Amino acid sequence: MPEGHTLHRLADDLTTAFAGRPVVSSSPQGRFAAEAARIDGRVLESAEAFGKHLFVAFADLPSVVHIHLGLYGSFVITPDVGHPVVGQVRWRLEGAATADLRGPNTCALLAPPEVDAIVDRLGPDPLRADADPDLAWHRIHRSELTIAALLMDQKVLAGVGNVYRAELLFRHGVAPMTAGRRIPRVRWNAMWDDLCALMRVGVERGRIDTVRPEHEPEAMGREPRVDDHGGEVYVYRRDGQGCLICGTPIRRRDVAGRNLFWCPSCQRRG
DNA sequence: ATTCTATGTCGAA
DNA sequence: TCGACCTAGAATA
């Protein structure tokens, strides 16, 4: 489930569930065993997200756990404690609750300079108060690359993935293959503001909902969408189905190994 | 039983 | 541009 909203939600939930108390730390699957043992019994200080990266800090330990969920990793918190391990659990934290990490791209104990290096190469994160949209604009407005590629580039924007990309482009009527330098400044400003609002909703609900109230299933007389990612969306994975606004079949195209979805009729502008 | 797919990223060809 | 990688559940045979 991992776009930026997932990691920010996770940071909040981990902090709420574990912060301020010692944790039991283990690696049932074994690949994080030595590090998990160093953490065992320490007090969890905080969990924080930057884009799709999650960092968990412990008292009296300068190093920080760096987690990246990749395409299919999950970190699930359950309120009970002591239940059996099911499947491959890279890292288990137990305190007032249990948190099981599975299938992460990365789970490593990093020294502060290494953490800084990761954060420094990320573009602005719409979910962070200190984010500066001008840094993203600076890269976009001088680029020959498509806006679809730029939105996914974590050096341009941190936290946007395949769903938010497709939905943001749809909501602003932007043709995905438009070069970054053809995006007007006013358009980018509107897209940034919208992205901040959309991703906040994502954190609150724990899913990606992008459909405006007037197009929601109840208002349109259609069934709510049921899909793996769980949200109400305009174009993501709706290829072949009619656009919720104009009825034109949604298109899908493989771009750099990822599926891009868009409405060829509603999305024509730069 | 096997193959496929997924909200991601890296590095080699 | 392609394969590799981390895992689970759905789809296909």
Side-chain angles (χ1 to χ4, degrees):
Chain A
M1 322 238 165
E3 289 193 33
H5 70 298
T6 303
L7 283 301
H8 282 265
R9 172 65 180 257
L10 206 39
D12 293 347
D13 289 350
L14 285 168
T15 301
T16 300
F18 296 102
R21 289 183 49 190
V23 294
V24 177
S25 163
S26 63
S27 178
Q29 176 243 27
R31 290 186 51 180
F32 194 56
E35 299 90 335
R38 280 186 67 193
I39 291 160
D40 189 40
R42 291 180 192 272
V43 172
L44 191 152
E45 265 181 2
S46 66
E48 192 174 4
F50 290 80
K52 298 171 189 169
H53 299 261
L54 176 67
F55 298 97
V56 187
F58 295 87
D60 304 316
L61 186 68
S63 293
V64 169
V65 178
H66 170 225
I67 292 166
H68 192 295
L69 294 178
L71 191 53
Y72 47 71
S74 67
F75 204 175
V76 176
I77 303 172
T78 44
D80 53 326
V81 173
H83 54 80
V85 171
V86 175
Q88 301 293 304
V89 176
R90 180 78 61 86
W91 189 29
R92 169 172 278 192
L93 275 179
E94 287 178 296
T98 302
D100 280 347
L101 174 68
R102 298 163 196 279
N105 211 352
T106 304
C107 175
L109 200 50
L110 298 187
E114 300 174 294
V115 173
D116 292 344
I118 289 166
V119 172
D120 287 348
R121 63 170 197 250
L122 295 174
D125 176 348
L127 288 170
R128 295 192 65 93
D130 56 358
D132 179 2
D134 285 352
L135 294 176
W137 169 248
H138 191 255
R139 284 178 178 275
I140 291 169
H141 94 282
R142 61 180 56 196
S143 179
E144 295 293 336
L145 299 175
T146 64
I147 186 64
L150 289 163
L151 291 178
M152 291 275 280
D153 184 340
Q154 302 298 296
K155 294 190 297 293
V156 175
L157 278 177
V160 173
N162 209 17
V163 183
Y164 281 123
R165 157 174 86 168
E167 296 300 306
L168 188 68
L169 290 169
F170 179 86
R171 285 170 58 101
H172 294 267
V174 174
M177 302 314 278
T178 306
R181 64 182 181 78
R182 299 207 179 279
I183 303 294
R185 173 91 212 213
V186 289
R187 183 98 59 244
W188 169 248
N189 290 345
M191 289 170 76
W192 171 266
D193 291 344
D194 195 25
L195 192 52
C196 291
L198 281 178
M199 292 182 75
R200 289 238 163 270
V201 170
V203 174
E204 283 158 22
R205 300 188 191 171
R207 56 183 246 182
I208 299 177
D209 285 318
T210 64
V211 175
R212 298 174 194 280
E214 63 268 33
H215 303 135
E216 267 167 11
E218 311 79 65
M220 304 277 288
R222 63 182 175 85
E223 289 298 305
R225 173 190 173 77
V226 179
D227 184 83
D228 285 347
H229 86 276
E232 279 296 328
V233 293
Y234 284 106
V235 294
Y236 179 71
R237 271 166 74 161
R238 290 197 67 249
D239 51 313
Q241 301 173 55
C243 173
L244 299 184
I245 292 181
C246 76
T248 302
I250 298 303
R251 287 212 189 140
R252 172 170 65 93
R253 176 175 160 185
D254 191 289
V255 179
R258 308 305 304 282
N259 282 322
L260 175 65
F261 303 88
W262 80 103
C263 171
S265 173
C266 292
Q267 297 176 247
R268 295 174 179 275
R269 66 185 189 179

